Amino acid sequence: MGVMMKMVRAGLFATVSGVSLLVMAAPGAHATGMPQLDFHNPMVTGQVIWGAVIFLGFYLALSQIMLPRVGRVLEDRSKRISGDLDVARAAKQDADKAVAELQQARKDAMAEAQSNLQKALDEEQRAADKKLEEINARLSAEIADAEKRVAAEKARAFGTLKEIAADTTQALVSRLTGTTPDAQLVAQKVEGATAHQNI
Amino acid sequence: MAGGSSIDVLGQFELRPVLGGLGEALRFSQSPLYMILAACLVLAFLYFGMRPAAVVPGRFQAAAEVCYEFIRSMAVDTIGPEGAAFFPFIFTLFFFILAGNYIGLLPFSFTFTSHIAVTLALAVMVFLLTVIVSLRAQGFRFFAHFMPAGASMYLAPLLIPIEILSFLSRPVSLSIRLFANMVAGHVMFDIFASFVIMLAGFGVVGDVFAIGPIAINMALVALELLVGVLQAYVFAILTCIYLREAVAH
């Protein structure tokens, strides 16, 4: 890079100095002025008129035909993009609504199921309670019945127990003493003993 | 255009009638011919670029659309909402000058923007347009612009002539800027190209040294590509600025 630059610089220096010498030495170097300022040449002024015509034609072709065409394409595109965006937005709104409806339906269904379940549970509970009550009632009735029978049985057993005790006492006493005790006295004593024994 | 030992850098700007006697009678030189070519090239570019009119543009169509949108945003951003009405004019102006500058870079072609008559005509057209638009939009209040608001009345004798002079110098600066840039570029091309031919006369040493001016001319092509678009842009943006002042209320 540095070598290249140095070469270019050297070449430039050499050419400039060489050519300036040449130019000074050149006898035919033109010094007639710029052709652009040669207003005697009808071509110089002619290009103003032609330029005006061409510029006008160019302007009309652009403003009437080409630029509206480009503008239409750009407008169509932006319209289409915004239209697509609108469609997408509407679709999103619909989807959102559907999701909300779905969620509402789910919530409703859940609430209904919950209430149904609660109702069923309540009914079941009530039925179970009733059955339990019935069973309890029956059982308590049976228990009361049985207790009554047990009490009766017990009373009867106690009744006969005193008789047996009196008979046994009489038999024991007569065997031991050889005399038969008074039945009434025995019964009285047995009565006293049982009372004492709290039977 | 170097002939023998002489350098004729200005010969390239000479106008010659085309089509022989008919061209001479109609004052039709190669300059209007290249203007037609430039206009046709731009129109063809837009026509063939926009022919698919696709929603998703190809490269060619995208390029045409970029040109359209670039000038449109320049016109609307600079001039304001009224700029849309001037957009076709700015577009025409920009691409007329740009195509003229770029076609002129092709070897053996002609640069019509290197003629002061052409650039001055364009600048005077812009100038007259701004004056007409100003008078139409602002009426006689337009003349109030020549007295800067808030300036002391004692300065009026000094300020008003200066403002009028600067206003009137607009077409001059506009036209000479473009003209001088194009002429300078092409003169430089010609000078360095002449060096190559002259150095060729010095045998092997000259051939080696001739690499220098060739390299410079290659760099100059890149520079001129930049200058060509820059000058077209400057012309168009200054027109937009003048029009903004014209439509401002």
Side-chain angles (χ1 to χ4, degrees), chain B residues 70-80 82-84 86-91 93-94 126 129-130 133 170 174 232-248:
Chain B
F70 171 62
I71 304 294
R72 188 173 183 88
S73 65
M74 176 165 84
V76 173
D77 292 351
T78 313
I79 303 173
E82 297 95 336
F86 296 106
F87 159 63
F89 176 71
I90 305 292
F91 191 94
L93 197 61
F94 178 81
V126 168
L129 179 74
T130 56
V133 170
R170 279 175 178 183
L174 203 56
Y233 179 74
V234 165
F235 208 103
I237 195 86
L238 282 174
T239 304
C240 286
I241 290 168
Y242 297 159
L243 282 170
R244 196 232 337 249
E245 281 177 20
V247 297

Side-chain angles (χ1 to χ4, degrees), chain A residues 13-138:
Chain A
F13 179 72
T15 45
V16 170
S17 47
V19 168
S20 40
L21 275 172
L22 267 176
V23 170
M24 281 193 278
H30 284 244
T32 47
M34 300 176 89
Q36 290 99 319
L37 301 178
D38 178 16
F39 291 106
H40 296 299
N41 184 351
M43 296 301 150
V44 172
T45 44
Q47 54 180 347
V48 173
I49 297 149
W50 279 112
V53 172
I54 293 161
F55 191 89
L56 182 69
F58 188 36
Y59 173 74
L60 289 176
L62 281 173
S63 65
Q64 301 302 312
I65 303 163
M66 280 326 297
L67 293 179
R69 192 178 290 186
V70 183
R72 254 198 313 278
V73 170
L74 293 177
E75 205 175 309
D76 281 354
R77 177 176 310 144
S78 70
K79 227 183 264 175
R80 186 154 163 189
I81 288 171
S82 65
D84 284 359
L85 277 178
D86 285 349
V87 168
R89 231 171 266 136
K92 194 188 174 293
Q93 238 163 27
D94 285 355
D96 284 352
K97 220 164 73 182
V99 166
E101 268 171 19
L102 185 71
Q103 270 173 354
Q104 190 59 45
R106 227 181 75 138
K107 226 197 262 176
D108 289 353
M110 245 166 85
E112 204 188 320
Q114 191 67 43
S115 79
N116 279 349
L117 185 67
Q118 196 59 49
K119 225 192 284 172
L121 278 175
D122 286 355
E123 234 161 63
E124 203 63 24
Q125 186 71 43
R126 235 175 292 133
D129 284 354
K130 216 164 117 191
K131 217 176 213 172
L132 196 64
E133 233 166 76
E134 273 170 20
I135 288 168
N136 278 344
R138 211 179 65 223

Side-chain angles (χ1 to χ4, degrees), chain A residues 12 15 19 36 47 50 77, chain B residues 26 31 55 65 114 195 216:
Chain A
L12 187 59
T15 45
V19 168
Q36 290 99 319
Q47 54 180 347
W50 279 112
R77 177 176 310 144
Chain B
L26 293 173
S31 173
V55 173
E65 286 175 11
S114 67
F195 287 173
I216 288 169

